[in-house]
Amino acid sequence: MRPIRSRAYALAALAAAGCASIAVTDDALVDRTAFALGLAKGDFTISNRSDEGTTTRYSVRTKAGQDFNCFVGGSISVLGRSVSEAICTKKGETMRNPLLR
């Protein structure tokens, strides 16, 4: 019975480790956002970070004064951290699928 308990604890630890608050670092947010918006890393600021399960939502303001709502997905597995590409939508515009550009 002991091995079953150990597996249960290991699975619980892995499930908890899948949270975006642990998986998504500030550096990952900056990297993914710079790529998504086509900007240099110093050309924007990130604020209002909110970690919800495996999703991190946040606001971006560029030096040019544009505002965006963005999100990334993040998890940790036996292979390490995984953070998706950022999806950003200009505030006031409807969200579009970036794969259909």
Side-chain angles (χ1 to χ4, degrees):
M1 196 143 148
R2 189 174 184 117
I4 292 173
R5 232 183 237 166
S6 296
R7 286 186 203 149
Y9 289 133
L11 287 174
L14 281 175
C19 295
S21 62
I22 298 168
V24 181
T25 64
D26 291 340
D27 287 340
L29 278 185
V30 171
D31 289 343
R32 301 308 193 276
T33 304
F35 181 78
L37 298 178
L39 298 172
K41 293 178 183 179
D43 288 346
F44 59 89
T45 56
I46 293 174
S47 63
N48 300 327
R49 177 179 173 156
S50 173
D51 296 307
E52 305 163 1
T54 59
T55 303
T56 298
R57 298 181 188 283
Y58 56 100
S59 298
V60 173
R61 182 165 184 89
T62 68
K63 284 187 176 180
Q66 295 177 317
D67 294 312
F68 294 87
N69 291 317
C70 302
F71 70 91
V72 297
S75 63
I76 297 178
S77 70
V78 294
L79 300 175
R81 294 176 197 254
S82 175
V83 180
S84 72
E85 294 302 322
I87 304 296
C88 296
T89 303
K90 195 177 234 184
K91 287 188 180 178
E93 292 184 3
T94 58
M95 183 181 280
R96 295 183 303 250
N97 185 336
L99 298 175
L100 300 176
R101 288 185 195 178

